[in-house]
Amino acid sequence: MSCELVSRPELKGTPVVVANDNGNNGGIILALNPEAKAIGLKRGNPLFQVTQIISQNHVTVIDVHHHFYHEVSHHIMDEVRKTEMVLDFVQYSVDEFFGFMPEDNPSQLRVYLQTLKDLILRETGIPVSCGAGQTYTLAKTATWFAKHYPGYKGICIMPADKREQALANVPVKDVWGIGRRSIKTIEQQGIKTALDYTQQSEAWVHRMFGIIGVRTWKELNGTPAVVLTSRERQKSIMYSRTFAHMTESKNVLMRELSNYASAATRKLREQGSICQTVSIFLATNRHRTDWPQYNNDQTIRLNTATDDSMQIISAVRRLLDELFRPHYQYKQAGVILGQLQNADGVQLDLFAPNQARDNARKKRLMQAMDDINKRFGSNQIHFAVQGTDADKSEQPAGFMRPHKIDDID
């Protein structure tokens, strides 16, 4: 939500929701601002159920832009790492990181957190909340206070001597690490706050919720028990999209598949991987039984594993030439990069002369493109086949450009 509002400041103070809208009220609300919450909207609301509320209150519905959010996240994490203020840095999710600050003085710790908060706001325009505590779970709880109580001004530090007082004001359902399926059981036991949970015996917690529940219990009691590590490399990367409107144009499909391939390959480079296989799939609308149906996929194995966008887009073009059938109304398409491996272990083709030199040149080109796009915005430099937002050639109204990222095991 913050990413969208930064780019559209004219919406400040008005109700706004972000949804995976398919153009026919078939999506759900994924995020919303306080003004939208105030009129009764909630995360997870299907759009078709709240159409009247949205219409009567002039709510702005913004389509989700997954790739944009990941780029902003990548920029924030890079800037924080550069400060070297956060030790044992771990990016936990697209909008969250943890780390250790070697400072016991709360006033000095607040200065450090304010410095990071100001840095992120200055670099991205996005306000963030910061929390500090003895453990990961207590830091997360402190962040909950920073978000929910304006008096903290976005920063909450939970010292050991204030821990119980603070936990008495946190609903147990809002404790990080307690799953939704456990809430009903917990509340049936009369446990309403985080403090209530900490006052149960360890044996009872283990019997009811297993080792995961015990770890949360220990962390809330001030004993570190959660180990966070950076996310492992994905085994494969898929970018796909269900279109807002069907299309029978091969040009449109190629443009969109090229965008998916470019985004997937950028993700590949970010995690230091290369791929050995490239796959695409096409599908018509299975709900439109009055139209001819066609669903197919195809995979190509590359001679040499790569992270080069040009090679992967070229492979996508060859696959589309094989799969495309005219006179079908296509509703979905996607690109999958498979058989990922560490980029440092690439095996060259014995029969390709000068491949090492060519690979080094291509790697410099991809790095330059990534750096420019990271600095000036997504797709400022891109391949011609990807088209532009202004290019409406053969593009059906409402055609959706944001991409969804999935991990495949």
Side-chain angles (χ1 to χ4, degrees), residues 232-253:
E232 295 182 357
R233 285 185 172 89
Q234 297 172 205
K235 297 178 181 178
S236 51
I237 299 173
M238 177 175 78
Y239 269 62
S240 68
R241 192 63 179 174
T242 299
F243 309 146
H245 295 272
M246 296 180 287
T247 180
E248 62 178 13
S249 169
K250 186 178 180 181
N251 289 338
V252 169
L253 290 173

mmCIF file with all atom_site columns, all heavy atoms in Angstrom, residues 232-253:
data_model
loop_
_atom_site.group_PDB
_atom_site.id
_atom_site.type_symbol
_atom_site.label_atom_id
_atom_site.label_alt_id
_atom_site.label_comp_id
_atom_site.label_asym_id
_atom_site.label_entity_id
_atom_site.label_seq_id
_atom_site.pdbx_PDB_ins_code
_atom_site.Cartn_x
_atom_site.Cartn_y
_atom_site.Cartn_z
_atom_site.occupancy
_atom_site.B_iso_or_equiv
_atom_site.pdbx_formal_charge
_atom_site.auth_seq_id
_atom_site.auth_comp_id
_atom_site.auth_asym_id
_atom_site.auth_atom_id
_atom_site.pdbx_PDB_model_num
ATOM 1   N N   . GLU A 1 232 ? 16.531  -19.507 1.181   1.00 0.00 ? 232 GLU A N   1
ATOM 2   C CA  . GLU A 1 232 ? 17.330  -20.304 0.263   1.00 0.00 ? 232 GLU A CA  1
ATOM 3   C C   . GLU A 1 232 ? 17.004  -19.959 -1.185  1.00 0.00 ? 232 GLU A C   1
ATOM 4   O O   . GLU A 1 232 ? 15.943  -19.449 -1.495  1.00 0.00 ? 232 GLU A O   1
ATOM 5   C CB  . GLU A 1 232 ? 17.055  -21.793 0.505   1.00 0.00 ? 232 GLU A CB  1
ATOM 6   C CG  . GLU A 1 232 ? 17.505  -22.284 1.876   1.00 0.00 ? 232 GLU A CG  1
ATOM 7   C CD  . GLU A 1 232 ? 17.252  -23.756 2.047   1.00 0.00 ? 232 GLU A CD  1
ATOM 8   O OE1 . GLU A 1 232 ? 16.666  -24.364 1.116   1.00 0.00 ? 232 GLU A OE1 1
ATOM 9   O OE2 . GLU A 1 232 ? 17.633  -24.308 3.079   1.00 0.00 ? 232 GLU A OE2 1
ATOM 10  N N   . ARG A 1 233 ? 17.948  -20.277 -2.046  1.00 0.00 ? 233 ARG A N   1
ATOM 11  C CA  . ARG A 1 233 ? 17.690  -20.051 -3.460  1.00 0.00 ? 233 ARG A CA  1
ATOM 12  C C   . ARG A 1 233 ? 16.473  -20.858 -3.917  1.00 0.00 ? 233 ARG A C   1
ATOM 13  O O   . ARG A 1 233 ? 16.273  -21.990 -3.505  1.00 0.00 ? 233 ARG A O   1
ATOM 14  C CB  . ARG A 1 233 ? 18.903  -20.487 -4.300  1.00 0.00 ? 233 ARG A CB  1
ATOM 15  C CG  . ARG A 1 233 ? 20.074  -19.526 -4.229  1.00 0.00 ? 233 ARG A CG  1
ATOM 16  C CD  . ARG A 1 233 ? 21.151  -20.003 -5.191  1.00 0.00 ? 233 ARG A CD  1
ATOM 17  N NE  . ARG A 1 233 ? 22.213  -19.032 -5.301  1.00 0.00 ? 233 ARG A NE  1
ATOM 18  C CZ  . ARG A 1 233 ? 23.271  -19.022 -4.514  1.00 0.00 ? 233 ARG A CZ  1
ATOM 19  N NH1 . ARG A 1 233 ? 23.387  -19.907 -3.554  1.00 0.00 ? 233 ARG A NH1 1
ATOM 20  N NH2 . ARG A 1 233 ? 24.208  -18.106 -4.666  1.00 0.00 ? 233 ARG A NH2 1
ATOM 21  N N   . GLN A 1 234 ? 15.678  -20.257 -4.776  1.00 0.00 ? 234 GLN A N   1
ATOM 22  C CA  . GLN A 1 234 ? 14.534  -20.978 -5.316  1.00 0.00 ? 234 GLN A CA  1
ATOM 23  C C   . GLN A 1 234 ? 15.015  -22.067 -6.261  1.00 0.00 ? 234 GLN A C   1
ATOM 24  O O   . GLN A 1 234 ? 16.014  -21.917 -6.950  1.00 0.00 ? 234 GLN A O   1
ATOM 25  C CB  . GLN A 1 234 ? 13.617  -20.002 -6.055  1.00 0.00 ? 234 GLN A CB  1
ATOM 26  C CG  . GLN A 1 234 ? 13.025  -18.958 -5.153  1.00 0.00 ? 234 GLN A CG  1
ATOM 27  C CD  . GLN A 1 234 ? 12.270  -17.892 -5.924  1.00 0.00 ? 234 GLN A CD  1
ATOM 28  O OE1 . GLN A 1 234 ? 12.121  -16.796 -5.458  1.00 0.00 ? 234 GLN A OE1 1
ATOM 29  N NE2 . GLN A 1 234 ? 11.800  -18.194 -7.117  1.00 0.00 ? 234 GLN A NE2 1
ATOM 30  N N   . LYS A 1 235 ? 14.260  -23.171 -6.300  1.00 0.00 ? 235 LYS A N   1
ATOM 31  C CA  . LYS A 1 235 ? 14.615  -24.275 -7.185  1.00 0.00 ? 235 LYS A CA  1
ATOM 32  C C   . LYS A 1 235 ? 14.185  -23.995 -8.616  1.00 0.00 ? 235 LYS A C   1
ATOM 33  O O   . LYS A 1 235 ? 14.751  -24.526 -9.557  1.00 0.00 ? 235 LYS A O   1
ATOM 34  C CB  . LYS A 1 235 ? 13.981  -25.565 -6.668  1.00 0.00 ? 235 LYS A CB  1
ATOM 35  C CG  . LYS A 1 235 ? 14.501  -25.967 -5.284  1.00 0.00 ? 235 LYS A CG  1
ATOM 36  C CD  . LYS A 1 235 ? 13.811  -27.216 -4.788  1.00 0.00 ? 235 LYS A CD  1
ATOM 37  C CE  . LYS A 1 235 ? 14.312  -27.589 -3.402  1.00 0.00 ? 235 LYS A CE  1
ATOM 38  N NZ  . LYS A 1 235 ? 13.621  -28.794 -2.873  1.00 0.00 ? 235 LYS A NZ  1
ATOM 39  N N   . SER A 1 236 ? 13.153  -23.215 -8.757  1.00 0.00 ? 236 SER A N   1
ATOM 40  C CA  . SER A 1 236 ? 12.733  -22.746 -10.071 1.00 0.00 ? 236 SER A CA  1
ATOM 41  C C   . SER A 1 236 ? 11.934  -21.469 -9.875  1.00 0.00 ? 236 SER A C   1
ATOM 42  O O   . SER A 1 236 ? 11.484  -21.171 -8.772  1.00 0.00 ? 236 SER A O   1
ATOM 43  C CB  . SER A 1 236 ? 11.912  -23.810 -10.810 1.00 0.00 ? 236 SER A CB  1
ATOM 44  O OG  . SER A 1 236 ? 10.876  -24.281 -9.990  1.00 0.00 ? 236 SER A OG  1
ATOM 45  N N   . ILE A 1 237 ? 11.807  -20.697 -10.927 1.00 0.00 ? 237 ILE A N   1
ATOM 46  C CA  . ILE A 1 237 ? 11.143  -19.400 -10.843 1.00 0.00 ? 237 ILE A CA  1
ATOM 47  C C   . ILE A 1 237 ? 10.075  -19.331 -11.917 1.00 0.00 ? 237 ILE A C   1
ATOM 48  O O   . ILE A 1 237 ? 10.341  -19.648 -13.081 1.00 0.00 ? 237 ILE A O   1
ATOM 49  C CB  . ILE A 1 237 ? 12.152  -18.248 -11.037 1.00 0.00 ? 237 ILE A CB  1
ATOM 50  C CG1 . ILE A 1 237 ? 13.220  -18.288 -9.940  1.00 0.00 ? 237 ILE A CG1 1
ATOM 51  C CG2 . ILE A 1 237 ? 11.440  -16.899 -11.041 1.00 0.00 ? 237 ILE A CG2 1
ATOM 52  C CD1 . ILE A 1 237 ? 14.347  -17.284 -10.149 1.00 0.00 ? 237 ILE A CD1 1
ATOM 53  N N   . MET A 1 238 ? 8.876   -18.935 -11.521 1.00 0.00 ? 238 MET A N   1
ATOM 54  C CA  . MET A 1 238 ? 7.795   -18.809 -12.493 1.00 0.00 ? 238 MET A CA  1
ATOM 55  C C   . MET A 1 238 ? 7.172   -17.419 -12.401 1.00 0.00 ? 238 MET A C   1
ATOM 56  O O   . MET A 1 238 ? 6.908   -16.922 -11.320 1.00 0.00 ? 238 MET A O   1
ATOM 57  C CB  . MET A 1 238 ? 6.703   -19.849 -12.249 1.00 0.00 ? 238 MET A CB  1
ATOM 58  C CG  . MET A 1 238 ? 5.512   -19.707 -13.205 1.00 0.00 ? 238 MET A CG  1
ATOM 59  S SD  . MET A 1 238 ? 4.280   -21.018 -13.028 1.00 0.00 ? 238 MET A SD  1
ATOM 60  C CE  . MET A 1 238 ? 3.427   -20.460 -11.550 1.00 0.00 ? 238 MET A CE  1
ATOM 61  N N   . TYR A 1 239 ? 6.968   -16.812 -13.550 1.00 0.00 ? 239 TYR A N   1
ATOM 62  C CA  . TYR A 1 239 ? 6.180   -15.588 -13.649 1.00 0.00 ? 239 TYR A CA  1
ATOM 63  C C   . TYR A 1 239 ? 4.985   -15.914 -14.541 1.00 0.00 ? 239 TYR A C   1
ATOM 64  O O   . TYR A 1 239 ? 5.164   -16.407 -15.654 1.00 0.00 ? 239 TYR A O   1
ATOM 65  C CB  . TYR A 1 239 ? 6.986   -14.449 -14.267 1.00 0.00 ? 239 TYR A CB  1
ATOM 66  C CG  . TYR A 1 239 ? 7.723   -13.582 -13.273 1.00 0.00 ? 239 TYR A CG  1
ATOM 67  C CD1 . TYR A 1 239 ? 8.707   -14.110 -12.457 1.00 0.00 ? 239 TYR A CD1 1
ATOM 68  C CD2 . TYR A 1 239 ? 7.427   -12.233 -13.154 1.00 0.00 ? 239 TYR A CD2 1
ATOM 69  C CE1 . TYR A 1 239 ? 9.392   -13.322 -11.560 1.00 0.00 ? 239 TYR A CE1 1
ATOM 70  C CE2 . TYR A 1 239 ? 8.101   -11.435 -12.243 1.00 0.00 ? 239 TYR A CE2 1
ATOM 71  C CZ  . TYR A 1 239 ? 9.087   -11.985 -11.449 1.00 0.00 ? 239 TYR A CZ  1
ATOM 72  O OH  . TYR A 1 239 ? 9.744   -11.201 -10.544 1.00 0.00 ? 239 TYR A OH  1
ATOM 73  N N   . SER A 1 240 ? 3.782   -15.651 -14.045 1.00 0.00 ? 240 SER A N   1
ATOM 74  C CA  . SER A 1 240 ? 2.601   -15.931 -14.849 1.00 0.00 ? 240 SER A CA  1
ATOM 75  C C   . SER A 1 240 ? 1.541   -14.880 -14.575 1.00 0.00 ? 240 SER A C   1
ATOM 76  O O   . SER A 1 240 ? 1.635   -14.124 -13.613 1.00 0.00 ? 240 SER A O   1
ATOM 77  C CB  . SER A 1 240 ? 2.034   -17.318 -14.530 1.00 0.00 ? 240 SER A CB  1
ATOM 78  O OG  . SER A 1 240 ? 1.498   -17.338 -13.229 1.00 0.00 ? 240 SER A OG  1
ATOM 79  N N   . ARG A 1 241 ? 0.526   -14.858 -15.455 1.00 0.00 ? 241 ARG A N   1
ATOM 80  C CA  . ARG A 1 241 ? -0.559  -13.901 -15.272 1.00 0.00 ? 241 ARG A CA  1
ATOM 81  C C   . ARG A 1 241 ? -1.820  -14.397 -15.952 1.00 0.00 ? 241 ARG A C   1
ATOM 82  O O   . ARG A 1 241 ? -1.772  -14.947 -17.054 1.00 0.00 ? 241 ARG A O   1
ATOM 83  C CB  . ARG A 1 241 ? -0.179  -12.535 -15.869 1.00 0.00 ? 241 ARG A CB  1
ATOM 84  C CG  . ARG A 1 241 ? -1.132  -11.420 -15.462 1.00 0.00 ? 241 ARG A CG  1
ATOM 85  C CD  . ARG A 1 241 ? -1.097  -11.192 -13.978 1.00 0.00 ? 241 ARG A CD  1
ATOM 86  N NE  . ARG A 1 241 ? -1.982  -10.115 -13.572 1.00 0.00 ? 241 ARG A NE  1
ATOM 87  C CZ  . ARG A 1 241 ? -2.218  -9.806  -12.318 1.00 0.00 ? 241 ARG A CZ  1
ATOM 88  N NH1 . ARG A 1 241 ? -1.663  -10.496 -11.363 1.00 0.00 ? 241 ARG A NH1 1
ATOM 89  N NH2 . ARG A 1 241 ? -3.020  -8.806  -12.009 1.00 0.00 ? 241 ARG A NH2 1
ATOM 90  N N   . THR A 1 242 ? -2.940  -14.247 -15.254 1.00 0.00 ? 242 THR A N   1
ATOM 91  C CA  . THR A 1 242 ? -4.245  -14.424 -15.872 1.00 0.00 ? 242 THR A CA  1
ATOM 92  C C   . THR A 1 242 ? -4.678  -13.062 -16.395 1.00 0.00 ? 242 THR A C   1
ATOM 93  O O   . THR A 1 242 ? -4.727  -12.091 -15.635 1.00 0.00 ? 242 THR A O   1
ATOM 94  C CB  . THR A 1 242 ? -5.265  -14.955 -14.853 1.00 0.00 ? 242 THR A CB  1
ATOM 95  O OG1 . THR A 1 242 ? -4.825  -16.233 -14.378 1.00 0.00 ? 242 THR A OG1 1
ATOM 96  C CG2 . THR A 1 242 ? -6.639  -15.099 -15.493 1.00 0.00 ? 242 THR A CG2 1
ATOM 97  N N   . PHE A 1 243 ? -4.968  -12.972 -17.671 1.00 0.00 ? 243 PHE A N   1
ATOM 98  C CA  . PHE A 1 243 ? -5.252  -11.689 -18.296 1.00 0.00 ? 243 PHE A CA  1
ATOM 99  C C   . PHE A 1 243 ? -6.641  -11.184 -17.909 1.00 0.00 ? 243 PHE A C   1
ATOM 100 O O   . PHE A 1 243 ? -7.570  -11.959 -17.673 1.00 0.00 ? 243 PHE A O   1
ATOM 101 C CB  . PHE A 1 243 ? -5.179  -11.798 -19.820 1.00 0.00 ? 243 PHE A CB  1
ATOM 102 C CG  . PHE A 1 243 ? -3.912  -12.425 -20.335 1.00 0.00 ? 243 PHE A CG  1
ATOM 103 C CD1 . PHE A 1 243 ? -3.925  -13.199 -21.470 1.00 0.00 ? 243 PHE A CD1 1
ATOM 104 C CD2 . PHE A 1 243 ? -2.709  -12.232 -19.673 1.00 0.00 ? 243 PHE A CD2 1
ATOM 105 C CE1 . PHE A 1 243 ? -2.756  -13.780 -21.948 1.00 0.00 ? 243 PHE A CE1 1
ATOM 106 C CE2 . PHE A 1 243 ? -1.540  -12.802 -20.140 1.00 0.00 ? 243 PHE A CE2 1
ATOM 107 C CZ  . PHE A 1 243 ? -1.568  -13.586 -21.278 1.00 0.00 ? 243 PHE A CZ  1
ATOM 108 N N   . ALA A 1 244 ? -6.773  -9.872  -17.884 1.00 0.00 ? 244 ALA A N   1
ATOM 109 C CA  . ALA A 1 244 ? -8.069  -9.260  -17.607 1.00 0.00 ? 244 ALA A CA  1
ATOM 110 C C   . ALA A 1 244 ? -9.039  -9.539  -18.741 1.00 0.00 ? 244 ALA A C   1
ATOM 111 O O   . ALA A 1 244 ? -10.241 -9.706  -18.526 1.00 0.00 ? 244 ALA A O   1
ATOM 112 C CB  . ALA A 1 244 ? -7.920  -7.751  -17.409 1.00 0.00 ? 244 ALA A CB  1
ATOM 113 N N   . HIS A 1 245 ? -8.504  -9.614  -19.970 1.00 0.00 ? 245 HIS A N   1
ATOM 114 C CA  . HIS A 1 245 ? -9.332  -9.898  -21.140 1.00 0.00 ? 245 HIS A CA  1
ATOM 115 C C   . HIS A 1 245 ? -8.595  -10.900 -22.018 1.00 0.00 ? 245 HIS A C   1
ATOM 116 O O   . HIS A 1 245 ? -7.372  -10.907 -22.082 1.00 0.00 ? 245 HIS A O   1
ATOM 117 C CB  . HIS A 1 245 ? -9.624  -8.617  -21.942 1.00 0.00 ? 245 HIS A CB  1
ATOM 118 C CG  . HIS A 1 245 ? -10.460 -7.631  -21.187 1.00 0.00 ? 245 HIS A CG  1
ATOM 119 N ND1 . HIS A 1 245 ? -11.828 -7.658  -21.202 1.00 0.00 ? 245 HIS A ND1 1
ATOM 120 C CD2 . HIS A 1 245 ? -10.093 -6.615  -20.377 1.00 0.00 ? 245 HIS A CD2 1
ATOM 121 C CE1 . HIS A 1 245 ? -12.290 -6.675  -20.444 1.00 0.00 ? 245 HIS A CE1 1
ATOM 122 N NE2 . HIS A 1 245 ? -11.261 -6.026  -19.934 1.00 0.00 ? 245 HIS A NE2 1
ATOM 123 N N   . MET A 1 246 ? -9.344  -11.731 -22.700 1.00 0.00 ? 246 MET A N   1
ATOM 124 C CA  . MET A 1 246 ? -8.739  -12.727 -23.575 1.00 0.00 ? 246 MET A CA  1
ATOM 125 C C   . MET A 1 246 ? -8.125  -12.059 -24.807 1.00 0.00 ? 246 MET A C   1
ATOM 126 O O   . MET A 1 246 ? -8.525  -10.969 -25.197 1.00 0.00 ? 246 MET A O   1
ATOM 127 C CB  . MET A 1 246 ? -9.794  -13.747 -23.997 1.00 0.00 ? 246 MET A CB  1
ATOM 128 C CG  . MET A 1 246 ? -10.352 -14.562 -22.833 1.00 0.00 ? 246 MET A CG  1
ATOM 129 S SD  . MET A 1 246 ? -11.611 -15.772 -23.326 1.00 0.00 ? 246 MET A SD  1
ATOM 130 C CE  . MET A 1 246 ? -12.990 -14.669 -23.673 1.00 0.00 ? 246 MET A CE  1
ATOM 131 N N   . THR A 1 247 ? -7.128  -12.709 -25.373 1.00 0.00 ? 247 THR A N   1
ATOM 132 C CA  . THR A 1 247 ? -6.496  -12.196 -26.584 1.00 0.00 ? 247 THR A CA  1
ATOM 133 C C   . THR A 1 247 ? -6.135  -13.345 -27.504 1.00 0.00 ? 247 THR A C   1
ATOM 134 O O   . THR A 1 247 ? -5.795  -14.438 -27.056 1.00 0.00 ? 247 THR A O   1
ATOM 135 C CB  . THR A 1 247 ? -5.228  -11.394 -26.250 1.00 0.00 ? 247 THR A CB  1
ATOM 136 O OG1 . THR A 1 247 ? -4.630  -10.916 -27.467 1.00 0.00 ? 247 THR A OG1 1
ATOM 137 C CG2 . THR A 1 247 ? -4.209  -12.241 -25.515 1.00 0.00 ? 247 THR A CG2 1
ATOM 138 N N   . GLU A 1 248 ? -6.224  -13.123 -28.797 1.00 0.00 ? 248 GLU A N   1
ATOM 139 C CA  . GLU A 1 248 ? -5.799  -14.123 -29.773 1.00 0.00 ? 248 GLU A CA  1
ATOM 140 C C   . GLU A 1 248 ? -4.545  -13.671 -30.518 1.00 0.00 ? 248 GLU A C   1
ATOM 141 O O   . GLU A 1 248 ? -4.107  -14.305 -31.455 1.00 0.00 ? 248 GLU A O   1
ATOM 142 C CB  . GLU A 1 248 ? -6.927  -14.393 -30.780 1.00 0.00 ? 248 GLU A CB  1
ATOM 143 C CG  . GLU A 1 248 ? -7.332  -13.188 -31.602 1.00 0.00 ? 248 GLU A CG  1
ATOM 144 C CD  . GLU A 1 248 ? -8.425  -13.530 -32.611 1.00 0.00 ? 248 GLU A CD  1
ATOM 145 O OE1 . GLU A 1 248 ? -9.019  -14.612 -32.503 1.00 0.00 ? 248 GLU A OE1 1
ATOM 146 O OE2 . GLU A 1 248 ? -8.648  -12.701 -33.504 1.00 0.00 ? 248 GLU A OE2 1
ATOM 147 N N   . SER A 1 249 ? -3.945  -12.568 -30.061 1.00 0.00 ? 249 SER A N   1
ATOM 148 C CA  . SER A 1 249 ? -2.792  -11.990 -30.743 1.00 0.00 ? 249 SER A CA  1
ATOM 149 C C   . SER A 1 249 ? -1.485  -12.634 -30.291 1.00 0.00 ? 249 SER A C   1
ATOM 150 O O   . SER A 1 249 ? -1.143  -12.621 -29.114 1.00 0.00 ? 249 SER A O   1
ATOM 151 C CB  . SER A 1 249 ? -2.738  -10.483 -30.483 1.00 0.00 ? 249 SER A CB  1
ATOM 152 O OG  . SER A 1 249 ? -1.505  -9.953  -30.911 1.00 0.00 ? 249 SER A OG  1
ATOM 153 N N   . LYS A 1 250 ? -0.735  -13.151 -31.245 1.00 0.00 ? 250 LYS A N   1
ATOM 154 C CA  . LYS A 1 250 ? 0.582   -13.708 -30.940 1.00 0.00 ? 250 LYS A CA  1
ATOM 155 C C   . LYS A 1 250 ? 1.537   -12.605 -30.505 1.00 0.00 ? 250 LYS A C   1
ATOM 156 O O   . LYS A 1 250 ? 2.402   -12.821 -29.644 1.00 0.00 ? 250 LYS A O   1
ATOM 157 C CB  . LYS A 1 250 ? 1.130   -14.430 -32.172 1.00 0.00 ? 250 LYS A CB  1
ATOM 158 C CG  . LYS A 1 250 ? 2.441   -15.162 -31.913 1.00 0.00 ? 250 LYS A CG  1
ATOM 159 C CD  . LYS A 1 250 ? 2.912   -15.902 -33.158 1.00 0.00 ? 250 LYS A CD  1
ATOM 160 C CE  . LYS A 1 250 ? 4.222   -16.637 -32.893 1.00 0.00 ? 250 LYS A CE  1
ATOM 161 N NZ  . LYS A 1 250 ? 4.700   -17.338 -34.117 1.00 0.00 ? 250 LYS A NZ  1
ATOM 162 N N   . ASN A 1 251 ? 1.400   -11.412 -31.093 1.00 0.00 ? 251 ASN A N   1
ATOM 163 C CA  . ASN A 1 251 ? 2.270   -10.293 -30.714 1.00 0.00 ? 251 ASN A CA  1
ATOM 164 C C   . ASN A 1 251 ? 2.091   -9.919  -29.251 1.00 0.00 ? 251 ASN A C   1
ATOM 165 O O   . ASN A 1 251 ? 3.059   -9.648  -28.528 1.00 0.00 ? 251 ASN A O   1
ATOM 166 C CB  . ASN A 1 251 ? 1.982   -9.071  -31.595 1.00 0.00 ? 251 ASN A CB  1
ATOM 167 C CG  . ASN A 1 251 ? 2.469   -9.261  -33.011 1.00 0.00 ? 251 ASN A CG  1
ATOM 168 O OD1 . ASN A 1 251 ? 3.349   -10.077 -33.276 1.00 0.00 ? 251 ASN A OD1 1
ATOM 169 N ND2 . ASN A 1 251 ? 1.885   -8.515  -33.947 1.00 0.00 ? 251 ASN A ND2 1
ATOM 170 N N   . VAL A 1 252 ? 0.834   -9.872  -28.806 1.00 0.00 ? 252 VAL A N   1
ATOM 171 C CA  . VAL A 1 252 ? 0.566   -9.542  -27.400 1.00 0.00 ? 252 VAL A CA  1
ATOM 172 C C   . VAL A 1 252 ? 1.153   -10.615 -26.489 1.00 0.00 ? 252 VAL A C   1
ATOM 173 O O   . VAL A 1 252 ? 1.789   -10.315 -25.479 1.00 0.00 ? 252 VAL A O   1
ATOM 174 C CB  . VAL A 1 252 ? -0.948  -9.394  -27.156 1.00 0.00 ? 252 VAL A CB  1
ATOM 175 C CG1 . VAL A 1 252 ? -1.252  -9.317  -25.652 1.00 0.00 ? 252 VAL A CG1 1
ATOM 176 C CG2 . VAL A 1 252 ? -1.478  -8.150  -27.844 1.00 0.00 ? 252 VAL A CG2 1
ATOM 177 N N   . LEU A 1 253 ? 0.966   -11.872 -26.839 1.00 0.00 ? 253 LEU A N   1
ATOM 178 C CA  . LEU A 1 253 ? 1.502   -12.962 -26.024 1.00 0.00 ? 253 LEU A CA  1
ATOM 179 C C   . LEU A 1 253 ? 3.030   -12.882 -25.944 1.00 0.00 ? 253 LEU A C   1
ATOM 180 O O   . LEU A 1 253 ? 3.617   -13.064 -24.878 1.00 0.00 ? 253 LEU A O   1
ATOM 181 C CB  . LEU A 1 253 ? 1.079   -14.311 -26.602 1.00 0.00 ? 253 LEU A CB  1
ATOM 182 C CG  . LEU A 1 253 ? -0.408  -14.662 -26.469 1.00 0.00 ? 253 LEU A CG  1
ATOM 183 C CD1 . LEU A 1 253 ? -0.705  -15.948 -27.231 1.00 0.00 ? 253 LEU A CD1 1
ATOM 184 C CD2 . LEU A 1 253 ? -0.799  -14.805 -25.007 1.00 0.00 ? 253 LEU A CD2 1
#
